[in-house]
Amino acid sequence: MIEVEVGLGARTYPILIEHGLLDRAATHLARFTRGGRLVVVTDANVAAAQLERFTVGLGDIAIEAIVLPPGETTKSWAVLEELTDQLLDLGVERSDRIVALGGGVIGDLVGFAAAILKRGCGFVQVPTSLLAQVDSSVGGKTAINSRAGKNLVGAFHQPDLVLIDPATLATLSARELRSGYAEVVKYGLIDDPAFFAWCEANAPALLAGDTDALTHAIAHSVRAKARVVAADERETTGTRALLNLGHTFGHALEAETCFSDTLLHGEAVACGTALAFRFSATLGLCAEEEAARVGYHLARAGLPTTLAEAHVDASGATLVAHMAHDKKMEGGRLPFLLAHGIGRTFLARDVALADVARFLDAER
Ligand code: GLY
């Protein structure tokens, strides 16, 4: 078993990674039960694929399962209200640990419910998608979406434990796996060119579901994320902001496609990352060949790297207008993740949105 620690003083917690871990969940969750019971929140798709296995793995521990509808629309005020009412009806106490079994939507929603229920309950992340295993389950960002945009209502609330079982990825669609892979590549592009080279060599095996490749990628990504979160938990120094590579362009693309299945989050991040590198090249910050190498790798992994492939035909002005809702806006300016090359990402605070719009119009 691989154990990675997120070092946050008294709130330090472990991430355990092992193929088949769900089958042995009781070993790690027994200490979190009250009266031999655990409350588990999941969605209908994950319930169908994993809940029985998880229940068997919990042995004598009884579970109360709350099963929510799948999809991004579940991260809403309405579902949050319903969920918190159900948790209160079940008598959840502050010292309880609510288990979030699912992908990024379930992790973000349950984490936020735990953050506000009785002014803060504990929770455990059991991520079942690649995207959640390498990114969203670690680091305590929790949120729901609001009318104005994605993840705009939320809290930093760290889990008490993260259990990652790469075996859960076997039931993901190839598209979901590719989408999560965009967040894996991100760690190489930010500051780890050797890991990007590993991705170039191993993406075919990983995307074919090879257990060793998946476990290596997850462990490497989680170690990188744990280091960043320990250094800048609340994204105040700029270190954690680097994890948003591709996300500013990506969120605009997601907004334009109405956060629908037309473009999954990881697909938007992949396209956003390719755009961020090409924009950096346009500004003369990054060699054209480096930007092309990034785009080529993402495209070979089956991810969209152009506006057309992302099914977006909006003008630069429209896409930039979506960016204005970004929660990272600072005094009317939007910090942008740009790159001097592969593994050399940096935060630029002086990017003019008019230049971004012009670049996007040229990309159309
Ligand atoms: N997903 C980016 C972060 O957790 O900071």
Side-chain angles (χ1 to χ4, degrees):
M1 175 147 61
I2 299 165
E3 180 164 349
V4 179
E5 194 177 82
V6 183
L8 291 167
R11 291 173 297 115
T12 293
Y13 59 92
I15 302 162
L16 307 182
I17 306 163
E18 189 177 47
H19 196 267
L21 190 58
L22 241 59
D23 301 320
R24 299 176 280 284
T27 315
H28 308 286
L29 292 174
R31 68 191 168 107
F32 293 135
T33 60
R34 188 163 51 85
R37 182 195 80 154
L38 267 181
V39 176
V40 179
V41 185
T42 188
D43 72 32
N45 289 344
V46 177
Q50 309 291 351
L51 193 55
E52 191 183 333
R53 193 178 147 224
F54 187 56
T55 307
V56 171
L58 285 174
D60 291 339
I61 301 170
I63 64 164
E64 301 274 6
I66 299 176
V67 182
L68 301 173
E72 190 70 31
T73 48
T74 290
K75 273 173 65 172
S76 66
W77 281 110
V79 179
L80 178 70
E81 184 179 4
E82 177 58 33
L83 173 61
T84 47
D85 279 342
Q86 285 196 48
L87 292 169
L88 291 170
D89 289 346
L90 287 171
V92 168
E93 295 182 4
R94 267 183 161 180
S95 58
D96 285 335
R97 303 288 186 277
I98 305 160
V99 178
L101 174 71
V105 167
I106 287 295
D108 284 8
L109 173 75
V110 175
F112 188 40
I116 58 176
L117 199 79
K118 299 194 170 174
R119 299 202 179 99
C121 298
F123 80 114
V124 174
Q125 290 269 23
V126 186
T128 57
S129 70
L130 183 59
L131 190 137
Q133 292 185 351
V134 299
D135 186 31
S136 62
S137 68
V138 176
K141 279 191 181 175
T142 74
I144 57 169
N145 303 328
S146 83
R147 208 169 48 193
K150 202 172 147 121
N151 294 335
L152 290 179
V153 178
F156 285 99
H157 187 57
Q158 299 293 343
D160 298 279
L161 170 69
V162 183
L163 295 182
I164 299 179
D165 180 355
T168 62
L169 305 178
T171 57
L172 281 192
S173 69
R175 187 180 175 203
E176 290 280 358
L177 196 66
R178 284 197 300 271
S179 173
Y181 178 67
E183 299 277 11
V184 172
V185 178
K186 176 180 88 174
Y187 293 104
L189 295 176
I190 291 172
D191 64 356
D192 191 348
F195 184 59
F196 182 72
W198 182 91
C199 288
E200 289 180 310
N202 292 281
L206 185 153
L207 293 170
D210 180 84
T211 301
D212 290 343
L214 280 166
T215 305
H216 177 83
I218 294 165
H220 197 92
S221 303
V222 158
R223 282 194 190 100
K225 177 129 191 200
R227 275 195 302 274
V228 170
V229 171
D232 182 19
E233 182 187 8
R234 289 183 170 245
E235 208 167 301
T236 46
T237 66
T239 307
R240 185 163 184 171
L242 296 178
L243 297 176
N244 297 324
L245 176 63
H247 284 63
T248 302
F249 283 116
H251 277 173
L253 303 179
E254 283 185 283
E256 189 56 28
T257 48
C258 304
F259 301 100
S260 66
D261 283 354
T262 303
L263 190 66
L264 302 180
H265 175 68
E267 292 170 339
V269 168
C271 189
T273 301
L275 289 169
F277 269 81
R278 286 204 292 277
F279 185 43
S280 301
T282 302
L283 295 174
L285 298 166
C286 164
E288 301 270 359
E289 305 78 59
E290 296 262 298
R293 187 176 155 200
V294 173
Y296 178 71
H297 177 62
L298 293 168
R300 264 194 72 209
L303 289 159
T305 58
T306 63
L307 295 180
E309 286 167 3
H311 309 289
V312 168
D313 184 30
S315 68
T318 303
L319 293 172
V320 162
H322 289 306
M323 294 176 190
H325 287 298
D326 198 296
K327 56 191 171 313
K328 295 177 283 299
M329 283 290 276
E330 287 174 358
R333 296 190 81 87
L334 185 57
F336 245 86
L337 269 300
L338 299 177
H340 289 302
I342 290 166
R344 294 165 63 209
T345 297
F346 68 99
L347 188 64
R349 296 188 190 273
D350 53 357
V351 176
L353 288 182
D355 288 343
V356 179
R358 248 191 310 278
F359 163 74
L360 289 168
D361 280 333
E363 283 276 329
R364 263 175 114 186

